[in-house]
């Protein structure tokens, strides 16, 4: 068993209260009943953890096995999280899809991995006809962070999916695109302590005034028409180093500091227009970004005044 997997399992077990440990391990269904009977759960937790890690090493636990343990723990403590709700709707005249769980898993993982090189996706089905999805995000250059995952709970054949609130809000639009494989999604936010999809009255539009403000500012800035297609914008920055500290090497530097920033997208202006409504950026956006159509250029040089 890989050291990173052992550390992952160790950290997860340490989070589990001792009075829940056997219940969660049985629900995990990775270690057999005979193996669990060899563990003395009345001894110190550190000793229990070491014994469990040895058993996992014997069974050569994988990263996915460790992720499933984390999902089980999160299921037991789901009410401690705040969840965003996605309500999915069909267009007029569209039929309800026949749900194929295997096809859904393959498509979901393939779309995410195609969009982002380093990402791990794990699934766990429950008796409530729900599928729990655990996503550990990386970047193009870093491995997935297993300790800051996003959880998604999807109830097949219903219009609801639940996503755990995360600091990685930039990945929310990507999840929405992934669900479009089966449905068109409309994001709704719910500050909730549960996942009972029958409680429709609890699904509310939060911060309605703020959302209306963002929409108004976005429309005032970009208009309600399609934006001109532009693939990149480039900014050259030249500035002197400023600091209240005296005697530093940079403070005595005569030459300005220079850097080059380039934004690129198949449709840059439409991408910028969607930033604030998607919650990725504050409204209004910087005039350096929104002035591109008015100035009719995409090369800018920024100097000290």
């Amino acid at each position: 068993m890989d050291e990173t997997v052992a550390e992952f399992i160790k950290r997860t077990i340490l989070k589990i209260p001792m009075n829940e440990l056997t219940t969660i391990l049985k629900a995990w269904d990775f270690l057999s009943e005979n193996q669990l009977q060899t563990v003395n759960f009345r001894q110190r937790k550190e000793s229990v953890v070491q014994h469990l890690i040895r058993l996992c090493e014997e069974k050569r636990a994988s990263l996915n096995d460790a992720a499933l343990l984390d999902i089980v723990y999160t299921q037991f403590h789901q009410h401690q999280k705040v969840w965003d709700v996605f309500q999915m709707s069909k267009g007029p005249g569209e039929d309800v899809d026949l749900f194929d769980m295997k096809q859904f898993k393959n498509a979901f993982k393939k779309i995410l991995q195609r969009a982002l090189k380093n990402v791990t996706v794990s699934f766990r089905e429950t008796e409530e006809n729900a599928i729990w999805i655990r996503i550990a995000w990386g970047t193009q250059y870093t491995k997935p962070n297993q300790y800051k995952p996003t959880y998604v709970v999807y109830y097949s054949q219903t219009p609801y999916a639940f996503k755990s609130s995360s600091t990685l809000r930039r990945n929310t639009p990507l999840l929405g695109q992934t669900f479009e494989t089966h449905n068109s999604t409309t994001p709704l936010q719910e500050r909730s302590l549960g996942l009972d999809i029958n409680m429709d009255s609890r699904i509310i539009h939060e911060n309605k005034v703020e959302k209306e403000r963002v929409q108004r500012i976005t429309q005032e800035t970009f208009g309600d028409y399609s934006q001109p297609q532009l693939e990149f914008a480039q900014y050259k920055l030249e500035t002197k180093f400023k600091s209240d500290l005296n005697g530093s090497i940079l403070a005595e530097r005569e030459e300005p500091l220079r850097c080059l920033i380039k934004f690129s997208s198949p449709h840059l202006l439409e991408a910028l227009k969607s930033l604030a409504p998607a919650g990725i950026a504050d409204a209004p956006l910087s005039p350096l970004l929104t002035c591109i159509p008015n100035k009719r250029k995409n090369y800018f040089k920024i100097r000290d005044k």
Side-chain angles (χ1 to χ4, degrees), residues 9-283:
I9 294 175
K10 178 181 176 181
R11 289 196 193 187
T12 304
I13 295 175
L14 286 172
K15 291 190 299 183
I16 304 173
M18 283 299 292
N19 63 334
E20 297 177 359
L21 189 53
T22 53
T23 304
I24 289 178
L25 290 174
K26 288 179 180 178
W28 182 28
D29 198 28
F30 176 71
L31 298 175
S32 68
E33 186 69 32
N34 290 336
Q35 286 176 311
L36 291 178
Q37 287 177 358
T38 66
V39 182
N40 180 7
F41 289 98
R42 295 182 179 180
Q43 59 185 330
R44 294 177 58 190
K45 190 168 187 179
E46 290 79 3
S47 301
V48 174
V49 171
Q50 291 176 6
H51 193 159
L52 291 171
I53 293 298
R54 286 197 298 270
L55 294 176
C56 290
E57 287 176 343
E58 292 174 4
K59 290 201 68 174
R60 298 182 179 181
S62 66
L63 181 61
N64 188 62
D65 294 322
L68 290 176
L69 175 60
D70 182 64
I71 291 177
V72 174
Y73 168 79
T74 304
Q75 286 177 303
F76 273 75
H77 294 270
Q78 61 187 257
H79 301 291
Q80 296 177 0
K81 289 188 173 294
V82 176
W83 300 85
D84 296 335
V85 182
F86 291 83
Q87 183 179 29
M88 292 166 283
S89 60
K90 283 291 183 183
E94 291 184 351
D95 295 328
V96 176
D97 290 329
L98 296 176
F99 187 80
D100 186 314
M101 184 65 75
K102 184 177 180 181
Q103 181 184 18
F104 172 80
K105 290 180 181 179
N106 291 337
F108 193 98
K109 183 180 291 188
K110 186 180 296 183
I111 292 170
L112 283 183
Q113 291 177 339
R114 187 185 303 150
L116 189 62
K117 179 181 178 182
N118 290 315
V119 60
T120 58
V121 186
S122 302
F123 302 91
R124 186 173 191 268
E125 299 174 46
T126 68
E127 295 177 355
E128 296 82 14
N129 201 30
I131 179 168
W132 280 68
I133 309 167
R134 182 185 188 277
I135 307 159
W137 307 95
T139 68
Q140 295 299 109
Y141 309 103
T142 60
K143 293 182 178 180
N145 186 342
Q146 298 297 335
Y147 303 107
K148 291 184 179 181
T150 298
Y151 304 93
V152 178
V153 187
Y154 178 49
Y155 289 81
S156 63
Q157 304 296 345
T158 77
Y160 297 108
F162 299 78
K163 181 187 77 68
S164 63
S165 294
S166 170
T167 55
L168 299 173
R169 298 193 68 84
R170 65 179 181 271
N171 294 320
T172 299
L174 181 57
L175 283 176
Q177 293 170 16
T178 306
F179 273 105
E180 284 177 3
T181 304
H182 295 276
N183 301 279
S184 59
T185 61
T186 305
L188 302 175
Q189 288 192 341
E190 174 191 18
R191 191 169 297 278
S192 167
L193 294 178
L195 290 175
D196 188 350
I197 65 169
N198 296 316
M199 301 181 69
D200 292 353
S201 61
R202 295 170 58 196
I203 301 176
I204 61 174
H205 290 277
E206 288 190 350
N207 300 325
K208 186 176 181 180
V209 174
E210 173 63 15
K211 289 182 179 180
E212 290 175 350
R213 185 190 74 87
V214 169
Q215 291 290 352
R216 185 182 69 256
I217 292 176
T218 300
Q219 185 169 355
E220 290 173 354
T221 304
F222 293 95
D224 56 0
Y225 47 81
S226 298
Q227 300 300 299
Q229 187 157 351
L230 183 71
E231 293 188 355
F232 74 92
Q234 183 172 294
Y235 299 81
K236 286 186 177 180
L237 174 65
E238 295 183 2
T239 182
K240 288 290 187 71
F241 180 78
K242 300 178 180 66
S243 174
D244 295 331
L245 301 176
N246 297 322
S248 67
I249 297 175
L250 289 176
E252 298 173 356
R253 178 186 170 96
E254 293 291 335
E255 285 289 310
L257 301 173
R258 296 182 175 88
C259 70
L260 178 67
I261 301 172
K262 185 175 181 179
F263 297 90
S264 60
S265 168
H267 206 326
L268 179 62
L269 294 177
E270 284 291 345
L272 294 175
K273 183 178 179 180
S274 67
L275 288 178
I280 300 173
D282 294 329

